[in-house]
Amino acid sequence: MKLQSLECAVWEITLGCNLKCSHCGSSAGKKRENELTTLESIEICEQLADLNCANVALMGGEPFLKKGWEKIAQCIVDLGMKLNIVSNGFILDQHLEELIRLQPTVVGISLDGLRKTHDAIRGMKGSFDQVVNAINLLRKNNIQTTVISTVSKINFEELSKIQKFIFNKGINWQIQIAAPFGNFTKEDMLSYEEFYAVGLLIAAWRAKHHFQNMPVIGAHCMGYHSEIMENFVWDGCTAGRTTIGITCEGNVVGCLAMGNDRLIEGNLREQSLEAIWNNRDAFSYNRKFSSKKLGDYCTNCEFGENCKGGCNSMSLSTTNKFHNDPFCFHRIEREIIKK
């Protein structure tokens, strides 16, 4: 297989966090004892640039709790890569001057409901007010902002309220589905019908408001070959193909959402990123994909060869198999909605 270019690295620079979110896949909270130093992190930035990585997303935990985060971010910018930051927004106001100086491509801010619901999900009273303040500060200073909402049974009925809250504020909106790993349990997962209803809402909002007026997207876990989300293009999980995840200890994985302590391809304290990326036996679940590897939900699907079984994070967390994502709009339309 010919290796594709590395387009994006999602980097969990710390697992230290000031909140305890009910859907956190990394079970963040306490900083790990062996997290990468600032110097080690800068060396990794240089290795990413040497591989012509286009985008680097810094996240956590809460990235602003990482000592030296701004030096890592500055290095990314200086090396010509696009800087993205994902934050819970709670202490963003304390780092606004650095953000104005860095001018990241986008800052993602988590918003999972209005005050009562958001505070409950985030495990901290006052977190909603801090998020709203963070969004207002980012927009006031013309920093591109994406609101990220993670949907479960807990906040499913508040999506329309979030939509009204952020409408016409010049904010992108990314909707993603909570998957059962880390802190999150299957009991609070959306049903297939609820999952599909989220897609219907996204399609309706796009049709009514036009994408340029309210840019709303379903994340990589949504929309495969659907009749209602026609503009969604999906040619399979990108983990190890065009994207990687880097953990706070320097482990390299295909995707952090598949678990930051599993499917480790190497450690950057022991190997160079180039050696890990160019190892043709690495990320074999995707790089050596064939239709024979499709799971039961996908094996007879007409789109299986191209789709490659959907999101591997959702597939693993719900079926313990690769290439077998049951949360598939095409499957739901074919097997459930049209029955």
Side-chain angles (χ1 to χ4, degrees):
M1 172 185 173
K2 183 180 179 181
L3 293 181
Q4 295 175 258
S5 299
L6 176 59
E7 295 179 4
C8 180
V10 181
W11 191 349
E12 196 174 59
I13 57 174
T14 182
L15 280 181
C17 193
N18 43 12
L19 302 180
K20 192 170 181 61
C21 305
S22 61
H23 58 245
C24 179
S26 299
S27 300
K30 186 177 181 181
K31 172 186 172 182
R32 303 305 190 256
E33 292 183 1
N34 59 341
E35 292 186 356
L36 295 165
T37 66
T38 302
L39 180 59
E40 288 175 319
S41 299
I42 288 173
E43 290 174 351
I44 291 171
C45 291
E46 293 169 348
Q47 293 184 52
L48 286 165
D50 287 343
L51 281 178
N52 297 314
C53 182
N55 300 274
V56 182
L58 301 183
M59 58 180 293
E62 172 51 47
F64 296 137
L65 291 177
K66 172 70 173 179
K67 185 177 180 181
W69 76 266
E70 69 281 5
K71 295 179 181 178
I72 301 168
Q74 186 66 61
C75 186
I76 291 167
V77 173
D78 290 345
L79 290 168
M81 296 178 285
K82 293 181 179 179
L83 169 67
N84 307 308
I85 298 173
V86 180
S87 168
N88 61 37
F90 199 80
I91 56 172
L92 182 141
D93 56 345
Q94 300 174 29
H95 301 277
L96 184 62
E97 289 186 12
E98 291 105 320
L99 289 172
I100 294 171
R101 177 175 53 80
L102 287 163
Q103 284 297 300
T105 301
V106 65
V107 175
I109 297 292
S110 301
L111 178 64
D112 298 310
L114 299 190
R115 183 175 284 105
K116 183 178 179 180
T117 301
H118 181 87
D119 285 1
I121 289 172
R122 296 282 156 180
M124 177 72 74
K125 188 175 181 180
S127 60
F128 174 81
D129 293 330
Q130 287 296 94
V131 166
V132 173
N133 182 51
I135 292 170
N136 290 337
L137 288 172
L138 290 169
R139 298 310 303 128
K140 181 179 178 181
N141 289 281
N142 295 314
I143 297 174
Q144 184 62 61
T145 307
T146 294
V147 161
I148 302 171
S149 299
T150 303
V151 186
S152 68
K153 287 185 181 298
I154 300 170
N155 61 349
F156 169 70
E157 294 184 356
E158 289 207 9
L159 281 178
S160 293
K161 295 179 181 179
I162 299 174
Q163 185 265 340
K164 290 177 182 178
F165 183 76
I166 66 175
F167 183 65
N168 272 344
K169 290 189 177 180
I171 298 169
N172 303 324
W173 190 18
Q174 176 178 304
I175 299 174
Q176 59 193 31
I177 305 302
F181 60 93
N183 291 347
F184 193 69
T185 60
K186 282 189 175 181
E187 288 73 21
D188 288 325
M189 274 198 77
L190 295 180
S191 68
Y192 296 138
E193 290 82 1
E194 289 168 334
F195 172 69
Y196 193 73
V198 173
L200 289 172
L201 286 171
I202 293 172
W205 287 328
R206 280 183 158 185
K208 181 178 180 180
H209 301 296
H210 305 292
F211 185 79
Q212 62 268 29
N213 295 332
M214 191 186 77
V216 53
I217 61 169
H220 59 276
C221 56
M222 300 183 70
Y224 318 131
H225 303 283
S226 168
E227 294 180 6
I228 63 166
M229 296 186 74
E230 297 175 356
N231 296 326
F232 188 92
V233 177
W234 177 265
D235 65 350
C237 174
T238 62
R241 295 170 58 217
T242 59
T243 63
I244 59 169
I246 302 174
T247 75
C248 59
E249 302 103 329
N251 292 324
V252 175
V253 297
C255 172
L256 290 167
M258 288 194 285
N260 56 17
D261 58 351
R262 61 187 299 194
L263 302 170
I264 296 170
E265 305 294 344
N267 185 278
L268 294 171
R269 284 173 167 148
E270 301 167 0
Q271 293 175 273
S272 70
L273 182 58
E274 181 181 17
I276 295 170
W277 180 255
N278 290 330
N279 179 358
R280 293 188 176 273
D281 292 323
F283 313 102
S284 60
Y285 50 89
N286 271 346
R287 291 185 178 180
K288 297 183 179 182
F289 170 81
S290 74
S291 57
K292 294 179 181 179
K293 294 184 178 181
L294 290 170
D296 294 341
Y297 283 110
C298 306
T299 187
N300 294 318
C301 180
E302 61 192 290
F303 298 111
E305 185 72 35
N306 180 62
C307 180
K308 302 177 180 63
C311 170
N312 272 323
S313 171
M314 186 64 77
S315 180
L316 279 174
S317 61
T318 56
T319 72
N320 205 32
K321 295 179 181 178
F322 290 110
H323 314 297
N324 193 44
D325 183 359
F327 283 80
C328 163
F329 280 28
H330 176 68
R331 186 187 79 83
I332 294 170
E333 288 167 350
R334 182 188 62 203
E335 298 180 8
I336 300 175
I337 303 299
K338 291 187 175 180
K339 278 189 175 182

